[in-house]
Amino acid sequence: MSRELILDWALLWLFLAQLALILWNQRTLGRPLARIWDDDAPLVSLLVPARNEEATIGRCLRSLLAQDYPNFEVVVLDDGSTDATASIVRATGGGRVRLIAGASLPEGWTGKNWACHQLSPAALGDLLCFVDSDTTLAPGTLSAAAGVMEEEGAGLVSLLPRSSRGSVAGAVLLPMVPHAMFALFPMAMVHSPAHPDVSVAFGPFLLLTREAYEASGGHAARSDSIVDDVEMSRAVKAAGFPVRLANGTDLVETRWYTGVGDIWRGFSKNAYGGVNYSPWMAAAVVLMLMPILLLPFFRVGLGLAVVFGIVHRHGGGCGSPG
């Protein structure tokens, strides 16, 4: 068998393996179902850290206040904003939103971990839901996520969001995030207690029981981590609580990054933290996984080329005159 044909078959099997993993992950995650709760539903504290978010905080709060879940509160921490963030929170929330002022950042903490850590003792709810200030939720999001938590007995539920695409670069590159999760990562391992070190979550929407949050050490467990969502899910799972992910792309929208430089800095920062800051693991990710990650940009053309190439070679060999 020629080297060209071996390469064709290898690429075809790679394509089929990715497709199988995507379908498996879609079945594993699923989409959270709509849920109607009674008035005695557990109190959920929607917790929003905000620093200089005047462009997005109003839209975020309006989506939180429009939730159809019957029993929730909204708490915003103003992390030393120098813009109109605080006044927009007051104007948008009125008496339905509590606004607290953040303390100075202590040594050994990242800004978001410190802000979320301060929000947790201010929360009154049995369930804590951390939402990024550049994120909006469909009205049924909280009801559906709380339903997943109750049905699965989970300590943490996180929803895969869709990214708003405010630029050409965002429209092209940001879909790589859900593709990477579906095509490269076996989601069933996150749900399995047999793999306590394998866990992931999505920072724009993290719903936890208070028991799981406190038992895991909360945001203080890895106060210096830049991937607070991943570290939180690992800590919750290590504490013995199930972690559940669900496909929330029709429920949660977040504004991750815009320009190419912003996207590259954000992706590289989070990816490096995701491999525990190991340069060897980072190199392996770049050298081995990036070609697979980029595959969707030419998957259709590549698949057709491979199939036609195999057919042509087989057809040419069988049909040539003797």
Side-chain angles (χ1 to χ4, degrees), residues 8 11 39 53-54 58 95 97-98 117 151 195 229 252 254 290 321:
D8 284 344
L11 291 173
D39 290 340
E53 299 288 355
E54 63 180 7
V97 175
R98 271 195 292 141
H117 177 72
E151 292 163 9
H195 304 280
D229 45 7
V252 181
T254 191
M290 282 305 291

Side-chain angles (χ1 to χ4, degrees), residues 86-108:
S87 60
I88 293 173
V89 171
R90 295 188 189 96
T92 304
R96 300 183 63 193
V97 175
R98 271 195 292 141
L99 177 65
I100 60 177
S104 299
L105 181 68
E107 186 177 354

Side-chain angles (χ1 to χ4, degrees), residues 9 17 30 33-34 39 49 57 89 103 109 125 140 148 150 166 215 221 230 234 239 250 264 290-291 303 314 319:
W9 279 109
L33 301 176
D39 290 340
I57 189 65
V89 171
W109 287 79
V148 173
E150 182 182 67
V230 175
R234 288 173 178 166
D250 57 346
W264 170 252
M290 282 305 291
H314 279 270

Side-chain angles (χ1 to χ4, degrees), residues 62-108:
R62 285 190 291 273
S63 77
L64 300 188
L65 294 172
Q67 292 301 296
D68 61 15
Y69 187 82
N71 193 18
F72 68 89
E73 63 167 355
V74 181
V75 186
V76 178
L77 181 131
D78 179 20
D79 188 20
S81 298
T82 57
D83 64 2
T85 294
S87 60
I88 293 173
V89 171
R90 295 188 189 96
T92 304
R96 300 183 63 193
V97 175
R98 271 195 292 141
L99 177 65
I100 60 177
S104 299
L105 181 68
E107 186 177 354

